[in-house]
Amino acid sequence: MFSKALLFLLFLHISFCSSVQYGDLTKSQGSKQWGPLEVRETVKLMSQSLGNFYTTEIKTGYLEWKSITNSTSEHIDTKLITNEIFLQLSKKKVPFVDTSIREEAAKEMGFGRTGMVSPETKLAIGKFKSPSHFIKGEINEVVNFESGKKIQYITVTIVLVSLESNQIVWSEQSNFYKTSRVEGYGF
């Protein structure tokens, strides 16, 4: 009887400890580390601002992502931010190109010219699109420690650069001012 009760308690412990809970991203709150709140706010601001700029000012041309550089002490997955902004802009019909696959595409076009590919599926030559603008960005921070608190000012800056003129034609910045208690401060 005792072993059955022990097994039951062990089962309950494992069941409760191994469960996963998902939260509502729109209700996420700030934390000591870079998290869902910062990602959500950055993506919202950047995709709205850049989407509006593209549709009202540029109107034509293709964009290409270069990179977002993380120059902070935080572990920030910049590809996550890039992908989410890209997804939001794509929903607004902002066109993008990926020039990193040109070499593979050119090989496939060459193979199509050998006659070994059916005419209805071979790739046409002369249809590549060139980007008219590059998107790039940087995440920076200033950190201070005062009275057992970490005070952090984080900026996410994204710019749109015209390839024709090398002019920065659009920029936006998302800012976060975070204060958190530092454990073991003063060692």
Side-chain angles (χ1 to χ4, degrees):
M1 183 72 161
F2 175 74
S3 61
K4 285 183 182 181
L6 186 60
L7 283 174
F8 178 72
L9 289 174
L10 183 61
F11 172 75
L12 284 177
H13 177 71
I14 291 171
S15 295
F16 286 117
C17 291
S18 65
S19 66
V20 174
Q21 295 179 4
Y22 291 94
D24 183 352
L25 283 176
T26 61
K27 295 179 182 176
S28 62
Q29 297 189 8
S31 64
K32 288 183 179 184
Q33 292 82 27
W34 179 269
L37 174 78
E38 291 86 357
V39 172
R40 185 184 77 232
E41 293 301 317
T42 298
V43 168
K44 180 180 174 183
L45 174 66
M46 299 300 178
S47 59
Q48 284 178 351
S49 181
L50 183 53
N52 290 340
F53 180 78
Y54 182 87
T55 57
T56 59
E57 300 294 325
I58 297 176
K59 300 179 186 170
T60 61
Y62 292 84
L63 308 184
E64 183 171 20
W65 274 101
K66 279 305 175 192
S67 66
I68 297 176
T69 306
N70 177 17
S71 299
T72 72
S73 61
E74 300 262 348
H75 169 71
I76 300 174
D77 185 352
T78 58
K79 193 69 174 163
L80 173 70
I81 298 167
T82 300
N83 288 345
E84 289 199 27
I85 294 171
F86 168 75
L87 178 66
Q88 294 304 313
L89 290 173
S90 294
K91 287 179 181 179
K92 294 180 179 189
K93 305 293 187 210
V94 174
F96 285 84
V97 292
D98 182 357
T99 59
S100 70
I101 62 167
R102 280 187 176 169
E103 188 175 325
E104 291 85 3
K107 284 181 187 177
E108 191 59 37
M109 287 175 193
F111 183 66
R113 295 178 70 193
T114 65
M116 296 173 64
V117 177
S118 65
E120 59 272 356
T121 62
K122 74 178 184 177
L123 299 177
I125 296 174
K127 299 231 176 186
F128 281 168
K129 304 294 184 202
S130 287
S132 59
H133 296 81
F134 280 160
I135 303 170
K136 64 181 188 168
E138 191 168 344
I139 305 172
N140 302 98
E141 74 176 343
V142 174
V143 179
N144 290 313
F145 295 92
E146 295 176 11
S147 304
K149 292 185 179 178
K150 179 180 179 182
I151 302 168
Q152 217 175 0
Y153 178 61
I154 300 172
T155 64
V156 182
T157 307
I158 296 181
V159 299
L160 184 67
V161 182
S162 166
L163 289 176
E164 192 170 66
S165 67
N166 293 321
Q167 179 183 5
I168 296 173
V169 295
W170 169 91
S171 63
E172 187 65 76
Q173 190 171 67
S174 183
N175 303 303
F176 301 95
Y177 182 76
K178 296 168 61 170
T179 303
S180 59
R181 191 169 159 257
V182 178
E183 301 296 326
Y185 180 76
F187 276 26

